[in-house]
């Protein structure tokens, strides 16, 4: 009849013990994956070559997608009429009055045209460089806010084409760039074919300027710098309205995109950028940068 086995507590424990394999247990693999995720999320000292490459590639991709969104003129003008109607209902449709009032002061409106064309890029890059240099532990999280904000704006351009006030029919807005022969907008004059004219919602002039202002306000120690941080998006709001490039509600859309950007960054890093350590705890290369560098080296070795 065969041998009789005696099932004791000790034998049951021995029999139920899993065999150890060379590949590791599921728990070990899970811990390994969790460790990789933790390394990816840990703020590290940024590498200048990687950041320049990443920012250049990201902006090129953003511009390409933004300008490839179909220029639906009919829908964009209809949406502009709807926005203007909503603002009239809410009692905030004063963009035309601001546009005409500022346009009556030539030196002021010309200055605003150049402000619109240049500071949007100069200040944003300047704040990125400042955070990179003096707050490296917060840089990656702050950069992610900016990237996520810009990325979600592309969804708005695609789903809600919107003509700026200066392109509306019968509303008597002044295109200040055309009138004063300045290059204050990529969507006016000879440069209008280089940019999607119907990507006004949300306003990334507001999204980016708010990011700059809040970043400076949150981490700067000098009172004057914090004040300037708050004044910059305020001045930008006046400029985008005075030059008839955006409605007030476009600015609200830009602010919502920024809120999304902060949500993404907080979810990834577990904290808002200004609450992270000023200097990173990890000094080694970021896993993504290291992987890219290894790939480049492999390509060179095969050549």
């Amino acid at each position: 009849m065969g041998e009789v086995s005696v099932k004791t507590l000790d034998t049951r424990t021995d029999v139920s013990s899993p065999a150890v394999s060379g590949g590791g247990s599921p728990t070990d693999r899970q811990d390994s994956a969790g460790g990789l995720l933790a390394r990816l999320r840990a703020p590290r000292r940024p590498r200048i070559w990687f950041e320049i490459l990443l920012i250049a590639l990201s902006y090129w991709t953003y511009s390409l997608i933004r300008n490839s969104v179909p220029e639906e003129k009919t829908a964009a003008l209809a949406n502009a009429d709807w926005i203007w109607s909503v603002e009239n209902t809410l009692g905030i449709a004063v963009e035309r009055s601001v546009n005409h009032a500022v346009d009556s002061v030539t030196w002021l409106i010309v200055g605003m045209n150049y402000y619109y064309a240049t500071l949007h890029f100069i200040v944003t890059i300047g704040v990125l460089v400042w955070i990179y240099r003096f707050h490296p532990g917060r840089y990656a999280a702050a950069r992610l806010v900016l990237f996520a904000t810009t990325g979600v704006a592309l969804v708005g351009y695609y789903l809600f084409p919107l003509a700026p006030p200066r392109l509306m029919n019968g509303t008597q807005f002044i295109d200040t760039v055309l009138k004063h022969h300045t290059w204050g907008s990529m969507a006016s004059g000879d440069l209008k074919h280089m940019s999607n004219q119907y990507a006004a919602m949300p306003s990334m002039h507001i999204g980016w300027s708010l990011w700059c202002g809040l970043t400076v306000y949150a981490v700067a120690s000098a009172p004057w710098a914090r004040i300037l941080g708050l004044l910059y998006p305020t001045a930008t709001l006046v400029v985008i309205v005075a030059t008839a490039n955006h409605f007030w509600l476009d600015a609200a859309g830009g602010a919502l995109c920024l809120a999304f950007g902060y949500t993404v960054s907080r979810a990834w890093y577990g904290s808002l950028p200004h609450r992270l350590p000023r200097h990173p705890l990890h000094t080694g290369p970021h896993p993504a940068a290291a992987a890219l560098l290894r790939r480049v080296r492999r390509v060179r070795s095969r050549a």
Side-chain angles (χ1 to χ4, degrees), residues 12-56:
R12 284 198 301 269
T13 302
D14 292 338
V15 170
S16 61
S17 298
V20 179
S21 63
S25 67
T27 302
D28 293 336
R29 290 192 294 269
Q30 185 177 1
D31 291 342
S32 177
L36 175 60
L37 182 61
R39 291 196 300 273
L40 288 171
R41 297 173 64 180
R44 295 172 181 270
R45 182 169 296 278
R47 299 296 193 266
I48 185 65
W49 67 268
F50 181 76
E51 293 304 322
I52 292 176
L53 178 62
L54 181 62
I55 291 172

Side-chain angles (χ1 to χ4, degrees), residues 197-218:
Q197 298 189 78
Y198 305 115
M201 171 65 85
S203 168
M204 279 299 93
H205 272 75
I206 291 301
W208 288 13
S209 66
L210 264 178
W211 174 84
C212 292
L214 292 176
T215 299
V216 171
Y217 180 81

Side-chain angles (χ1 to χ4, degrees), residues 144-145 148-149 256-273:
L144 180 57
V145 174
T149 299
L256 287 176
C257 289
L258 181 66
F260 173 82
Y262 274 110
T263 301
V264 171
S265 182
R266 189 182 187 283
W268 182 254
Y269 288 102
S271 179
L272 293 174

Side-chain angles (χ1 to χ4, degrees), residues 106-119:
T106 302
W107 65 266
L108 180 59
I109 193 60
V110 169
M112 286 188 174
N113 285 342
Y114 288 122
Y115 178 115
Y116 185 87
T118 59
L119 292 192

Side-chain angles (χ1 to χ4, degrees), residues 5-18:
S5 61
V6 180
K7 297 183 180 179
T8 64
L9 180 61
D10 292 338
T11 57
R12 284 198 301 269
T13 302
D14 292 338
V15 170
S16 61
S17 298

